[in-house]
Amino acid sequence: MTKEKIKKEKPKKPKYNMWQNSCWMIGTAWKIKEKKVLFLCLAQVVISLGQSLVSLFISPAVISAVETQKSLTYLLITILVFVGATMLLRAANSYVSENTMYGRITLRSYIGGLISNKMMTTSYPNTEKKEVRDLANSAQNAISNDSSATEGIWNTLVQLIKNVLGFAIYLAMLSRLDFWVVAVVLATSIFGFFVNKKVGGFAYRHRSEYAAQGRRMNYVNTVGSGSEYAKDLRIFGIKPWLTEIYDKAQNLTLALKRKEQNVNMISSVSDIILTFLRNGIAYAYLINMALKGNLSAAEFVLYFSAFGSFTNWVRWILGNINTLHRQSLDISTVREMLEYPEIFRFEDGEPLTADPRGKYEIKLENVTFRYPETERDVLRNINLTLHPGEKLAVVGMNGAGKTTLVRLICGFYDPTEGRVLLNGEDIRKYNRRDYYKLFSAVFQDFDVIAATIAQNIAQDMDGNIDMDAVRSCADKAGLCEKIESLPEKYDTKLVRDVYEEAIALSGGETQRLMLARALYKNAPMLILDEATSSIDTRTEALDPIAEADMYSKYNAMAEGRSSVYISHRLASTRFCDRIILLDGSVIAEEGTHDELMALGGKYKEFFDIQSKYYKDGGKENEEEN
């Protein structure tokens, strides 16, 4: 491996330190009105510190009473006071601990919502970046359970504050002892802290490697357990291939874990050696003072316990700092995910209002597009205008850039060079979410959401559904009869992975559901990207008759709207006002169906091949019959 490559792979320093992340967590709790999390943390500090002090003083107090020959009544009262205080503090600690978790869970769930919202609303190109996917995966791990960083940090902060206060109190108690003893305890503890800190960031430094293997194993689990891939698994026998991917990813993960365990072992051994050294010196010092008569029995017990606890305070403080450091690395990942730079303008962009009857012109001006980290232009110097109310068909071979062109029109990508204009204005100036409202679309990679049929059509989970509009759209899409035949009708749930009582629609029914969804949105522009040939393996592509019916409905739906159609089947584009053929990254041919047929170029060649296929297929069918 070259030096240049090693330098390139060096993990970057986290953006925020542990104090900044602690303040962020506290500020977030305050912001969402979960202040009880903070107050209950302080209560835990006071109660826990009180328990430690009671435990420290009970034995010396009893021994002192015996040494000074106090009465039995005094001795019993002393014991009862300490026992009562212990019981009271334990009860208070149980109550606070039981009630503090609810606010912490709410806060963790809120942060999880922020992560989900970021992924669902971030600029579309971000969703395709490996860096963003790895950040999202690591951020999800930071909110995955009650011991993860976004909830576990509260216990760490409680322990840290308690230990700092305890350290200060015990340091004051030990102030009469020789300074060199305290210095030895501090020096060995601090040295141990730096050893632990050095090894404590292993998981963070290798987080991208963990995330990459986790993605591979999740992929195999999804493919292996999902019903959508069941036919392919059985027909093509791809189980060994999937097993190999999983085993390799698992082995690499285990190798990383072994390295992490080895590093942690070094830390543990050094901690044991340093603990033995500092405790041995401190206890030898106290025993020597007692033998010389400089300490009474009660003082010896008090200082013996205090010294043991003092070393623990130091060790715990540094341990808490190490834990807080590791949790901070995870929280920093969460914040980096939430603050990942946006490519597009959103709230800071100029607002747009989508008028269903509005006239909108979209123009691609000298547009060139190249995907990141690639050298080939997918589209080059494209000049294209989609006029108000025009039906435009985009055709070409696979990989010609048809879907990329549509994504540029929809604003999912910005051009590498050139501009996309809406009524003469560069779309980059607008709030991109407002721009999206101009489009209704049925993409080739559409999906059904786990909700009712009505919610799928209206794309609304808040109960603000216009049921009359839903029924009207379902009727226009040719799905009304199917829905009315179901026991729950429009309240019928879809996606069996989530709802046991859900139904599965056929391929054609799913296509009509997507049409109803597009109708309900009632946007001024319509995009159909291979809308009648789903790549979703849970549905099947339409037969030619059903497809013709669907395009007839799309044609009727597009009246008065600007619309763009992508289709491999050229016969379905004949009703369009204009057809463009993409080839070699440019618009190679442009015109109506008749004009392109008369031109005798690639469009005619493609059309003739498809026509011959259907004609030959028809003759064969006739012979078979």
Side-chain angles (χ1 to χ4, degrees):
M1 186 179 288
T2 63
K3 291 183 179 180
E4 182 180 356
K5 190 170 183 180
I6 293 173
K7 184 177 181 181
K8 182 180 179 181
E9 293 179 353
K10 184 178 180 181
K12 67 177 183 179
K13 183 179 179 181
K15 186 175 180 180
Y16 300 102
N17 61 41
M18 60 185 178
W19 306 115
Q20 291 171 320
N21 288 324
S22 299
C23 290
W24 182 78
M25 289 296 297
I26 292 170
T28 302
W30 196 272
K31 175 183 176 181
I32 68 169
K33 300 181 180 178
E34 284 294 337
K35 301 179 180 67
K36 61 178 177 290
V37 171
L38 309 179
F39 296 131
L40 289 173
C41 282
L42 293 176
Q44 281 186 299
V45 169
V46 173
I47 293 168
S48 184
L49 188 59
Q51 288 178 302
S52 298
L53 293 175
V54 168
S55 297
L56 174 68
F57 282 103
I58 184 170
S59 295
V62 171
I63 293 173
S64 178
V66 172
E67 272 190 320
T68 56
Q69 299 181 346
K70 299 290 185 180
S71 67
L72 180 61
T73 302
Y74 179 88
L75 182 61
L76 290 175
I77 291 173
T78 299
I79 293 174
L80 287 173
V81 167
F82 277 101
V83 170
T86 299
M87 293 178 63
L88 183 63
L89 288 169
R90 283 183 179 176
N93 187 56
S94 297
Y95 176 82
V96 172
S97 298
E98 181 69 23
N99 285 276
T100 194
M101 67 176 181
Y102 302 109
R104 295 179 183 183
I105 291 173
T106 300
L107 181 58
R108 175 164 60 90
S109 299
Y110 171 79
I111 294 173
L114 293 179
I115 295 170
S116 297
N117 182 69
K118 175 69 174 183
M119 283 305 296
M120 289 187 290
T121 59
T122 191
S123 302
Y124 183 84
N126 285 347
T127 66
E128 300 179 328
K129 291 182 178 178
K130 178 181 178 296
E131 179 186 9
V132 175
R133 295 197 303 271
D134 287 347
L135 272 176
N137 186 61
S138 298
Q140 287 293 338
N141 289 336
I143 61 160
S144 58
N145 53 61
D146 57 3
S147 62
S148 57
T150 49
E151 187 170 341
I153 189 174
W154 299 112
N155 284 331
T156 304
L157 289 173
V158 166
Q159 294 301 317
L160 180 59
I161 296 171
K162 181 198 80 171
N163 293 332
V164 168
L165 293 176
F167 171 79
I169 293 170
Y170 279 49
L171 183 61
M173 291 173 54
L174 297 173
S175 60
R176 63 165 289 190
L177 303 178
D178 289 338
F179 175 76
W180 70 267
V181 181
V182 179
V184 167
V185 173
L186 287 173
T188 54
S189 299
I190 291 172
F191 180 75
F193 164 73
F194 282 110
V195 171
N196 288 330
K197 184 177 180 182
K198 179 69 176 177
V199 301
F202 182 92
Y204 179 85
R205 293 192 298 271
H206 296 271
R207 60 179 178 161
S208 61
E209 297 170 65
Y210 277 119
Q213 306 315 320
R215 283 199 315 274
R216 292 184 176 94
M217 288 189 285
N218 288 337
Y219 167 76
V220 174
N221 286 331
T222 301
V223 172
S225 61
S227 60
E228 59 268 33
Y229 299 101
K231 295 190 293 291
D232 301 86
L233 276 168
R234 286 153 179 79
I235 293 294
F236 296 104
I238 60 176
K239 178 186 172 184
W241 173 68
L242 290 174
T243 302
E244 183 181 357
I245 293 176
Y246 189 92
D247 288 345
K248 285 182 178 179
Q250 187 178 51
N251 289 337
L252 287 170
T253 301
L254 291 174
L256 282 172
K257 283 293 183 183
R258 281 193 290 270
K259 289 181 181 179
E260 186 176 356
Q261 289 172 353
N262 291 337
V263 169
N264 289 337
M265 179 65 72
I266 295 172
S267 173
S268 298
V269 171
S270 65
D271 190 49
I272 291 171
I273 294 172
L274 291 170
T275 299
F276 178 80
L277 178 64
R278 63 173 172 262
N279 287 351
I281 291 173
Y283 293 159
Y285 172 80
L286 289 175
I287 291 171
N288 181 60
M289 286 189 67
L291 292 175
K292 290 181 178 180
N294 294 330
L295 291 177
S296 66
E299 288 176 322
F300 177 83
V301 171
L302 175 64
Y303 284 121
F304 191 88
S305 299
F307 232 125
S309 297
F310 179 73
T311 58
N312 284 335
W313 291 123
V314 176
R315 181 166 56 85
W316 289 336
I317 288 171
L318 299 177
N320 293 150
I321 292 174
N322 264 335
T323 301
L324 186 61
H325 174 70
R326 289 194 295 270
Q327 291 170 335
S328 175
L329 297 178
D330 289 338
I331 294 171
S332 185
T333 299
V334 171
R335 296 181 68 185
E336 288 170 34
M337 173 68 226
L338 296 176
E339 298 167 8
Y340 196 87
E342 293 296 349
I343 299 168
F344 303 148
R345 300 181 69 178
F346 292 114
E347 283 71 20
D348 61 330
E350 187 175 315
L352 268 174
T353 302
D355 181 359
R357 291 173 294 277
K359 302 298 181 183
Y360 298 95
E361 178 189 84
I362 294 182
K363 183 176 183 180
L364 277 66
E365 186 180 82
N366 301 318
V367 165
T368 294
F369 182 81
R370 182 188 310 116
Y371 285 97
E373 300 179 6
T374 61
E375 298 180 357
R376 186 181 72 88
D377 292 333
V378 179
L379 297 171
R380 185 172 65 253
N381 198 32
I382 299 293
N383 287 282
L384 175 68
T385 300
L386 177 62
H387 303 288
E390 182 183 24
K391 298 172 186 175
L392 175 70
V394 182
V395 300
M397 296 288 287
N398 287 337
K402 303 185 298 296
T403 296
T404 301
L405 179 66
V406 165
R407 289 177 177 177
L408 286 164
I409 291 172
C410 290
F412 294 138
Y413 298 135
D414 280 339
T416 306
E417 299 175 16
R419 301 186 300 167
V420 177
L421 307 176
L422 174 67
N423 292 341
E425 298 292 335
D426 195 320
I427 68 170
R428 282 174 283 207
K429 68 183 272 190
Y430 295 116
N431 181 330
R432 194 60 61 98
R433 295 191 185 103
D434 287 348
Y435 181 77
Y436 294 149
K437 294 175 183 177
L438 297 174
F439 299 91
S440 282
V442 180
F443 297 110
Q444 60 176 316
D445 52 352
F446 64 78
D447 204 354
V448 175
I449 60 175
T452 66
I453 289 176
Q455 289 170 329
N456 265 277
I457 293 174
Q459 292 291 282
D460 188 295
M461 302 296 157
D462 298 326
N464 301 318
I465 298 176
D466 184 344
M467 286 306 301
D468 290 336
V470 167
R471 294 186 187 93
S472 174
C473 293
D475 183 51
K476 292 176 182 177
L479 193 60
C480 190
E481 183 178 348
K482 169 66 178 180
I483 297 173
E484 293 294 339
S485 70
L486 300 171
E488 298 296 326
K489 295 182 171 50
Y490 290 89
D491 291 327
T492 301
K493 292 183 174 63
L494 302 177
V495 183
R496 287 174 176 170
D497 290 345
V498 178
Y499 302 110
E500 291 183 2
E501 69 275 23
I503 69 161
L505 297 176
S506 69
E509 289 164 350
T510 304
Q511 298 284 358
R512 296 177 191 280
L513 181 70
M514 296 302 105
L515 171 58
R517 176 190 292 180
L519 283 166
Y520 187 92
K521 186 175 181 182
N522 195 29
M525 285 182 272
L526 175 65
I527 303 294
L528 301 174
D529 182 2
E530 296 290 355
T532 59
S533 55
S534 168
I535 64 169
D536 185 344
T537 55
R538 287 165 292 182
T539 63
E540 298 174 356
L542 302 181
D543 60 69
I545 295 175
E547 184 181 44
D549 179 61
M550 284 301 300
Y551 269 105
S552 174
K553 293 183 180 300
Y554 284 137
N555 186 29
M557 173 184 171
E559 285 301 323
R561 307 174 193 230
S562 302
S563 51
V564 179
Y565 299 81
I566 293 180
S567 178
H568 284 95
R569 296 177 183 171
L570 304 188
S572 63
T573 64
R574 297 182 65 172
F575 65 85
C576 293
D577 302 316
R578 185 163 46 121
I579 302 169
I580 62 170
L581 184 142
L582 294 176
D583 185 50
S585 303
V586 299
I587 298 176
E589 298 178 15
E590 181 175 359
T592 65
H593 172 76
D594 292 338
E595 289 171 345
L596 293 179
M597 291 296 290
L599 184 65
K602 284 196 173 183
Y603 179 87
K604 184 178 185 304
E605 179 184 346
F606 294 159
F607 187 86
D608 289 343
I609 291 172
Q610 290 188 4
S611 298
K612 182 176 184 298
Y613 170 79
Y614 284 115
K615 289 175 182 178
D616 290 346
K619 289 178 181 179
E620 290 173 6
N621 290 335
E622 288 174 4
E623 291 173 0
E624 290 174 3
N625 292 332

